[in-house]
Amino acid sequence: MTETPAPPLIFPSELVQTLRSAHRVVVLTGAGISAESGIPTFRQAQTGLWTQYRAEDLATPEAFRKNPRLVWEWYAWRRNIIANSKPNPAHLALVKLEDQIPNFTLITQNVDNLHQTAGSRKIIEFHGNIFRTKCSNENRVVETWFDTGEVPPRCPSCNHFLRPDVVWFGELISEAALSAAFRSVQDCQVFISIGTSGLVEPAASLPRLALQHESLLVEINLEPTPLTHQADFILQGLSGRIIPQLIAKVWPDLQP
Ligand code: BV8
């Protein structure tokens, strides 16, 4: 039996008008925007070999010091899931949004590279990128190394272990990402928080900083978060359904 398509979503006219005339928009994304691409979010229980571990316990320098092989293999497992996934309609709709807004910034907490694959350009990788590897000692990106079969592989210049170029819990966000993010938030007119539980700092402070500058705050999430009570517009549901329809409503002449 064919399913009857869900009725189109209705959006508040003030939100539609404000986005249509906006010049400076910041979007913050979290793991939720990639969930419809088949990538488990941080809060979801892990599966398979990793069921016994919490992501927060593996994404730390201590875990890597204690068991570098385990942490490297966890990231290899995640890279494999991501390599077999693709951007979903939410990622693609954000590319259209970027094309319409003169001063647009996409701050992502995700390390899955799906915004880049989708074609987004002005991206701040707040927590790094799982497909980049760096030396755990020199802290510089390493593109190629000798595959001796040892796990993790070692840095070709100093022989220390290589690690993913991501920001672990207890590690500082890069100065470049932090200052670029705060600069974009200082004067944005609209701040859209998508698919993040708003629990991880300092990313979670970005929407609150936007509110201090009278930005309009929009939250798109499946469930309420600590940010929800401060949002001007709460669009509850799947980001892969909401964002494409919102963009189509604001700019109806755009190619679907
Ligand atoms: C820092 C990269 C200064 C790695 C990530 C004690 C000691 C040390 C530090 C701290 C401490 N206490 C607090 C801190 C600070 C700590 C922190 O915030 N901890 C939390 C857990 C309390 N932060 C840090 O350590 C940061 N650095 O503070 O430096 C410092 C230094 C030393 C000592 C003190 C301070 C660095 C944090 C960066 C961590 N790295 N990622 C990797 O990916 O492997 S964070 C990781 O969690 C991911 O990036 C992920 O994005 C992020 C947050 O999760 P979310 O994205 O929000 O995802 P989540 O699963 O939580 O939620 C998904 C949401 O989507 C849900 O709300 C769900 O409803 C929704 N959703 C699901 N599906 C959909 C959807 N919505 C719409 N549509 C759908 N289809």
Side-chain angles (χ1 to χ4, degrees):
M1 184 168 92
T2 49
E3 274 184 34
T4 45
L9 299 170
I10 311 282
F11 297 100
S13 55
E14 186 198 344
L15 171 60
V16 173
Q17 297 308 328
T18 307
L19 261 181
R20 193 173 287 153
S21 60
H23 287 264
R24 298 182 306 281
V25 172
V26 171
V27 171
L28 171 69
T29 61
I33 199 169
S34 296
E36 290 163 81
S37 295
I39 297 173
T41 70
F42 246 64
R43 305 286 147 222
Q44 265 169 321
Q46 302 218 95
T47 57
L49 282 176
W50 305 101
T51 314
Q52 60 193 298
Y53 301 99
R54 287 185 340 135
E56 301 89 301
D57 299 333
L58 290 172
T60 68
E62 295 72 28
F64 187 72
R65 254 194 301 281
K66 199 168 129 204
N67 193 336
R69 180 187 186 98
L70 179 78
V71 174
W72 178 272
E73 286 178 342
W74 179 53
Y75 279 90
W77 172 71
R78 288 172 65 191
R79 264 193 294 275
N80 188 47
I81 291 175
I82 297 165
N84 291 303
S85 71
K86 59 186 178 46
N88 66 60
H91 296 102
L92 299 172
L94 289 184
V95 181
K96 290 177 184 274
L97 177 59
E98 179 170 356
D99 293 341
Q100 301 307 312
I101 303 293
N103 188 332
F104 178 88
T105 304
L106 171 58
I107 305 168
T108 187
Q109 298 174 86
N110 302 338
V111 298
D112 58 33
N113 205 60
L114 286 182
H115 287 303
Q116 292 85 336
T117 307
S120 288
R121 299 175 301 280
K122 294 185 67 185
I123 302 171
I124 297 176
E125 294 179 327
F126 213 60
H127 294 156
N129 188 311
I130 199 169
F131 290 106
R132 255 194 327 270
T133 298
K134 69 177 182 181
C135 172
S136 60
N137 169 54
E138 298 163 325
N139 208 28
R140 66 179 181 83
V141 172
V142 174
E143 312 248 328
T144 56
W145 54 85
F146 304 108
D147 183 0
T148 62
E150 186 180 11
V151 177
R154 291 184 179 272
C155 172
S157 68
C158 77
N159 210 38
H160 278 73
F161 283 134
L162 297 178
R163 55 163 282 185
D165 185 16
V166 299
V167 181
W168 281 332
F169 289 100
E171 291 187 322
L172 294 170
I173 307 298
S174 78
E175 186 45 46
L178 215 52
S179 51
F182 282 130
R183 208 170 30 251
S184 70
V185 171
Q186 302 285 6
D187 65 353
C188 71
Q189 294 162 298
V190 183
F191 188 105
I192 308 175
S193 175
I194 304 170
T196 177
S197 58
L199 298 174
V200 172
E201 292 295 353
S205 299
L206 294 171
R208 282 190 280 277
L209 186 66
L211 280 175
Q212 287 169 15
H213 298 280
E214 273 96 57
S215 162
L216 191 86
L217 180 59
V218 184
E219 181 178 53
I220 298 172
N221 198 307
L222 275 183
E223 62 190 10
T225 73
L227 190 64
T228 306
H229 71 284
Q230 295 175 281
D232 297 289
F233 295 101
I234 303 153
L235 308 178
Q236 189 156 328
L238 295 167
S239 51
R241 178 161 184 256
I242 291 171
I243 306 172
Q245 291 197 38
L246 175 62
I247 302 307
K249 181 69 183 170
V250 176
W251 293 283
D253 300 337
L254 283 183
Q255 291 302 322

